[in-house]
């Protein structure tokens, strides 16, 4: 017997290329998807990701942070919009607002983020420029459960890419983004299949075929 589809809500603020990767793997047009995207929520009415979702026939909503006096009010409105859909997991895919502790607590181990660096290195913004500045030889991205401190929480999966001597912020960023588009669907699929659990603040993957890491194109062009 197949398990019911995991209902997810995806939160975005902008272009939504990660959202697109998730639509491509789990959207309404995909047969036998283990996931149903029940909502795409943006805090910005002009986010291109909303167009991507509409094109795919996925319900969208905008909760504009500017309409709220404080973060608790904004997060409360988002929480209500998400819960109305029956979503079981909230996915941050380029969502650029900090969430309140209350919102995060309400979705404990049910809130995941993708960060464009190998955490715990390079938390925060401008990760590619900072990786180049630090001279690291490898960089990448991380999918993790969200905890109140920014860019912390149990690590579900990471993908590694090489840093090349002639890299610019842009070229390195594009390489990481391509890795994000592979890693994020893979991590969400593991969750949907019930293969991810958190023990002592570490995420354990119950899948012999995928231990949570991808080495992406380490030698290729
Ligand atoms: C990605 O690099 C993601 O890791 C970060 O924000 C960016 C969003 O890009 N959290 P997109 O909107 O998915 O194209």
């Amino acid at each position: 017997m197949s398990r019911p589809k995991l209902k997810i809500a995806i939160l975005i603020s902008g272009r939504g290329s990660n959202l697109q990767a998730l639509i491509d793997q789990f959207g309404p047009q995909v047969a036998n998807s283990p996931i149903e995207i029940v909502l795409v929520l943006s805090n910005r009415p002009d986010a291109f990701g909303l167009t991507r979702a509409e094109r795919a026939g996925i319900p969208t909503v905008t909760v504009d942070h500017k309409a709220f006096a404080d973060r608790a009010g904004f997060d409360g409105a988002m929480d209500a919009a998400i819960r109305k859909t029956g979503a079981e997991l909230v996915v941050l895919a380029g969502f650029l607002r900090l969430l309140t502790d209350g919102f995060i607590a309400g979705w404990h181990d049910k809130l995941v983020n993708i960060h464009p660096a190998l955490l715990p290195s390079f938390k925060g913004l401008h990760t590619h420029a900072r990786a180049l500045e630090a001279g690291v030889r490898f960089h990448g991205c991380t999918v993790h459960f969200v905890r109140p401190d920014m860019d912390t929480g149990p690590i579900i999966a990471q993908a590694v890419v090489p840093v090349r001597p002639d890299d610019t912020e842009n070229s390195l960023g594009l390489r990481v983004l391509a890795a994000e588009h592979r890693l994020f669907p893979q991590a969400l699929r593991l969750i949907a299949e019930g293969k991810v659990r958190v023990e002592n603040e570490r995420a354990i993957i119950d899948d012999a075929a995928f231990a949570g890491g991808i080495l992406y194109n380490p030698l290729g062009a």
Side-chain angles (χ1 to χ4, degrees):
M1 222 179 68
S2 64
R3 59 167 67 226
K5 288 178 196 276
L6 179 73
K7 295 185 165 121
I8 70 169
I10 303 177
L11 274 49
I12 60 163
S13 297
R15 68 184 164 180
S17 71
N18 276 287
L19 167 67
Q20 188 64 55
L22 299 177
I23 291 173
D24 291 346
Q25 293 233 4
F26 307 124
Q29 81 291 354
V30 177
N32 302 321
S33 166
I35 285 175
E36 180 185 356
I37 306 170
V38 293
L39 181 69
V40 170
L41 183 155
S42 173
N43 65 303
R44 295 185 51 138
D46 60 349
F48 182 62
L50 288 171
T51 306
R52 297 182 192 268
E54 282 155 16
R55 280 181 191 157
I58 297 166
T60 63
V61 67
T62 298
V63 182
D64 189 342
H65 60 278
K66 293 196 199 113
F68 295 86
D70 56 22
R71 281 170 51 202
F74 170 59
D75 282 10
M78 282 200 302
D79 194 67
I82 296 165
R83 294 204 186 267
K84 232 173 30 190
T85 66
E88 302 156 280
L89 182 79
V90 176
V91 174
L92 306 178
F95 182 71
L96 300 180
R97 308 293 301 174
L98 286 177
L99 295 165
T100 54
D101 291 2
F103 182 96
I104 293 170
W107 291 97
H108 190 75
D109 291 349
K110 307 242 168 270
L111 176 61
V112 299
N113 179 45
I114 186 153
H115 180 73
L118 292 170
L119 291 174
S121 292
F122 308 122
K123 296 172 180 168
L125 297 174
H126 311 299
T127 55
H128 311 311
R130 286 158 57 213
L132 288 175
E133 171 70 24
V136 293
R137 270 34 178 168
F138 294 97
H139 187 40
C141 53
T142 303
V143 178
H144 64 99
F145 288 112
V146 173
R147 296 292 185 258
D149 286 339
M150 189 181 60
D151 297 327
T152 66
I155 290 170
I156 301 164
Q158 292 186 307
V160 176
V161 303
V163 179
R164 300 186 185 287
D166 56 352
D167 263 330
T168 61
E169 183 178 358
N170 187 51
S171 66
L172 181 57
L174 287 174
R175 194 174 306 125
V176 172
L177 194 64
E180 293 183 39
H181 297 163
R182 286 181 60 183
L183 186 72
F184 213 2
Q186 198 158 359
L188 294 187
R189 186 178 294 276
L190 288 170
I191 295 173
E193 290 172 347
K195 293 176 175 169
V196 181
R197 65 199 150 86
V198 179
E199 260 175 33
N200 299 323
E201 282 301 272
R202 291 176 61 188
I204 317 282
I205 312 278
D206 295 315
D207 185 339
F210 183 66
I214 297 179
L215 274 175
Y216 179 56
N217 193 21
L219 298 172

